[in-house]
């Protein structure tokens, strides 16, 4: 059974009187409940269009990098992967852009993009049927029904019909994965608006969940969330700083390391400063061209990058609340860019794992960080920052200070 409160909104709370999005919630004294479906939809459209355009005007959205398409292909992308793209260090942020470009040079063998019938059947079989998916109404139950025994297994025609239908699904997905095709159906997405605070759906306190087509999400799960992540673990791509989205790692690992760091600084009388940082809306600020280019540099086939890029570029976002699904939609454009890979995509955690690892590595090269040495001066450890998904700790100390404080 589903929980009684799913977090979906039946109304919206907005500031009383005259206001304009975005507003400062600290300056708002009273709130008004808005139940009119059209006004709720208008407010949510304004909110989402600005929310998913937060990465606009960042260095990667300006020439020449803005000429890289969403799928991370083309002459500029290929030059970056080859390490032949010229960069002017004298430009604003030039030093840091060069470090980023160095991180994007191709360095891992390419993964296979083939999808087997077993991949498809096992993926649908273990997927919880209550999961919301598929704007086309191809519910998970339809796929699961083709894999379930119904007591008529001796009837060859029935059994073979279910197998034939599932084989068609497999062939369609496999062909798309091989040729880099994004189906028109995959480019429709429903953005479910959920309240973060139970019973208080304030406009600035909402969570957006993208409901993708089940077969698209399964394809991403097979290639990215499973195959690519294990590929990265095998080749040491993700290092030790980021623990989120990785098999065998948990938030407790970072908490324990943090406590031991505090204890070590206290016992050795070494000064230590640490800042806790939250990368707000990190999934919604990732630039698709940077994501796909990073994936290609780390072994993801170009065909898969094309599927991800084309789908994100052409996505038509419709808003869903308890009041219904909007008939109009918003999409990416030059004036109103829609960035991010979407919370709800099976690949977003792996995308952020890769992007954050690149950022952590750059930070380690340019920052002082913290350094600890054992009593015999045999072993020295230098660390800069560690994190779990969007929460990161940045630290610095002076291990050579003559006075501890």
């Amino acid at each position: 059974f589903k929980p009684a409160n799913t977090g979906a909104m039946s109304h919206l709370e907005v500031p009383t009187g005259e206001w304009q999005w975005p507003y400062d919630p600290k300056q708002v004294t009273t709130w008004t409940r808005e139940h009119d479906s059209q006004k709720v939809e208008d407010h949510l459209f304004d909110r989402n269009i600005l929310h998913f355009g937060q990465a606009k005007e960042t260095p990667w959205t300006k020439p020449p990098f803005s000429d890289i398409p969403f799928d991370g292909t083309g002459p500029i992308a290929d030059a970056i992967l080859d390490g032949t793209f010229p960069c002017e260090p004298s430009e604003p942020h030039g030093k840091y852009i060069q470090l980023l470009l160095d991180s994007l040079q191709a360095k891992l063998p390419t993964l296979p993009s083939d999808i087997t019938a077993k991949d498809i059947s096992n993926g649908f079989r273990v997927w919880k049927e209550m999961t919301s998916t598929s704007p086309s109404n191809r519910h998970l139950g339809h796929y699961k029904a083709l894999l379930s025994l119904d007591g008529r297994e001796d009837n060859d025609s029935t059994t073979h019909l279910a197998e034939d239908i599932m084989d068609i699904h497999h062939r369609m997905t496999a062909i798309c994965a091989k040729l880099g095709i994004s189906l028109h159906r995959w480019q429709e997405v429903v953005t479910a608006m959920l309240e973060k605070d139970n019973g208080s759906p304030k406009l600035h306190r909402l969570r957006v969940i993208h409901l993708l087509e089940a077969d698209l999400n399964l394809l991403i799960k097979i290639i990215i969330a499973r195959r690519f992540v294990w590929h990265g673990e095998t080749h040491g791509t993700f290092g030790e700083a980021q623990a989120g989205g990785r098999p065998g790692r948990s938030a407790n690992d970072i908490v324990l390391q943090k406590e031991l760091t505090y204890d070590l600084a206290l016992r050795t009388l070494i000064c230590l400063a640490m800042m806790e940082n939250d990368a707000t809306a990190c999934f919604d600020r990732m630039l698709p061209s940077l994501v796909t280019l990073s994936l290609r540099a780390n072994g993801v086939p170009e065909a898969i990058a094309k599927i991800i890029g084309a789908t994100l570029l052409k996505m038509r976002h419709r808003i869903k609340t308890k009041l219904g699904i909007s008939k109009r939609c918003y999409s990416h454009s030059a004036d109103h860019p829609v960035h991010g890979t979407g919370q709800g995509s099976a690949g977003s955690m792996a995308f952020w794992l890769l992007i954050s690892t690149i950022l952590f590595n750059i930070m380690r090269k340019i920052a002082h960080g913290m350094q600890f040495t054992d009593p015999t001066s045999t072993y020295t450890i230098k660390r800069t920052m560690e994190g779990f998904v969007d929460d990161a700790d940045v630290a610095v100390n002076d291990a050579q200070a003559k006075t501890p404080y």
Side-chain angles (χ1 to χ4, degrees):
F1 296 97
K2 290 187 177 181
N5 184 2
T6 61
M9 300 163 31
S10 59
H11 64 279
L12 193 62
E13 292 186 10
V14 298
T16 303
E18 296 292 330
W19 63 277
Q20 188 176 11
W21 178 260
Y23 56 79
D24 183 0
K26 296 180 180 179
Q27 303 298 322
V28 180
T29 56
T30 57
W31 300 85
T32 299
R33 288 193 172 190
E34 184 61 73
H35 292 271
D36 183 85
S37 60
Q38 187 58 54
K39 291 183 178 180
V40 168
E41 180 180 304
D42 291 341
H43 292 324
L44 292 177
F45 265 76
D46 292 340
R47 183 256 183 209
N48 282 6
I49 290 173
L50 285 179
H51 176 78
F52 290 104
Q54 293 179 87
K56 186 179 181 180
E57 300 300 326
T58 55
W60 197 262
T61 64
K62 299 178 181 180
F65 307 112
S66 58
D67 295 331
I68 302 175
F70 269 36
D71 58 12
T73 62
I76 297 178
D78 292 340
I80 292 174
L81 293 174
D82 295 339
T84 59
F85 183 80
C87 178
E88 296 293 337
S90 59
E91 296 178 358
H93 315 296
K95 171 185 176 182
Y96 309 107
I97 291 176
Q98 184 62 60
L99 290 171
L100 176 59
L101 296 178
D102 292 342
S103 302
L104 296 175
Q105 295 182 25
K107 44 188 168 293
L108 292 188
T110 303
L111 283 165
S113 61
D114 58 294
I115 303 292
T116 66
K118 188 175 182 180
D119 290 332
I120 297 295
S121 59
N122 287 348
F124 282 127
R125 184 173 284 112
V126 301
W127 205 339
K128 291 184 179 179
E129 189 171 346
M130 65 179 292
T131 305
S132 298
T133 62
S134 301
S136 67
N137 292 324
R138 294 191 182 189
H139 189 265
L140 278 173
H142 297 138
Y143 295 101
K144 282 182 169 290
L146 300 173
L147 301 170
S148 301
L149 302 179
D150 61 0
R152 296 182 295 173
E153 291 71 43
D154 294 334
N155 185 336
D156 290 341
S157 62
T158 303
T159 303
H160 291 168
L161 179 61
E163 292 176 351
D164 290 344
I165 296 174
M166 184 54 72
D167 182 60
I168 293 173
H169 287 305
H170 160 243
R171 289 176 181 271
M172 288 174 56
T173 307
I175 291 172
C176 290
K178 183 177 181 180
L179 301 180
I181 299 172
S182 173
L183 300 179
H184 185 80
R185 174 171 54 88
W186 291 352
Q187 296 161 12
E188 291 285 344
V189 61
V190 169
T191 53
M193 306 300 298
L194 308 180
E195 55 190 28
K196 290 184 178 180
D197 307 314
N198 188 18
S200 180
K202 292 181 173 60
L203 187 58
H204 68 282
R205 292 287 296 163
L206 299 177
R207 178 176 287 109
V208 184
I209 303 296
H210 291 67
L211 304 182
L212 308 180
E213 283 295 317
D215 51 347
L216 168 64
N217 229 3
L218 180 58
L219 169 62
I220 295 174
K221 184 183 296 184
I222 293 170
I223 300 293
I224 303 297
R226 296 177 186 167
R227 204 172 290 176
F228 164 70
V229 170
W230 281 110
H231 186 62
E233 292 288 357
T234 301
H235 291 85
T237 301
F238 307 126
E240 298 295 330
Q242 175 63 276
R246 302 176 64 178
R249 308 269 182 135
S250 70
N252 290 338
D253 299 334
I254 301 300
V255 173
L256 176 60
Q257 186 167 262
K258 184 176 181 179
E259 288 295 327
L260 293 175
T261 300
Y262 284 155
D263 185 65
L264 184 59
L266 180 64
R267 292 177 183 276
T268 56
L269 299 180
I270 294 178
C271 60
L272 174 70
M274 183 173 289
M275 180 187 73
E276 298 178 348
N277 179 64
D278 182 0
T280 305
C282 59
F283 287 6
D284 301 333
R285 298 187 188 212
M286 286 188 287
L287 297 170
S289 61
L290 181 57
V291 169
T292 51
L293 185 58
S294 303
L295 291 173
R296 291 186 61 200
N298 288 276
V300 173
E302 183 177 330
I304 302 300
K306 287 183 176 180
I307 292 176
I308 296 170
T311 304
L312 291 174
L313 176 64
K314 300 176 182 178
M315 264 188 176
R316 294 170 291 278
H317 300 257
R318 303 183 191 277
I319 290 178
K320 178 183 179 181
T321 65
K322 282 186 177 179
L323 302 174
I325 299 176
S326 65
K327 293 183 179 180
R328 60 177 173 141
C329 62
Y330 60 89
S331 301
H332 175 81
S333 67
D335 294 332
H336 300 289
V338 177
H339 298 302
T341 58
Q343 204 166 352
S345 166
S348 286
M349 184 62 253
F351 299 153
W352 177 247
L353 169 60
L354 179 58
I355 295 296
S356 62
T357 297
I358 292 174
L359 297 177
F360 284 9
N361 290 340
I362 293 175
M363 185 71 174
R364 188 174 66 250
K365 294 177 181 178
I366 64 177
H368 182 280
M370 52 184 166
Q371 180 176 304
F372 295 101
T373 305
D374 77 311
T376 64
S377 298
T378 304
Y379 302 101
T380 298
I381 297 177
K382 181 181 178 181
R383 293 168 25 225
T384 304
M385 61 190 301
E386 295 96 19
F388 185 82
V389 192
D390 57 340
D391 296 310
D393 298 324
V394 186
V396 62
N397 71 357
D398 186 358
Q400 308 302 324
K402 295 182 180 180
T403 51
Y405 304 106

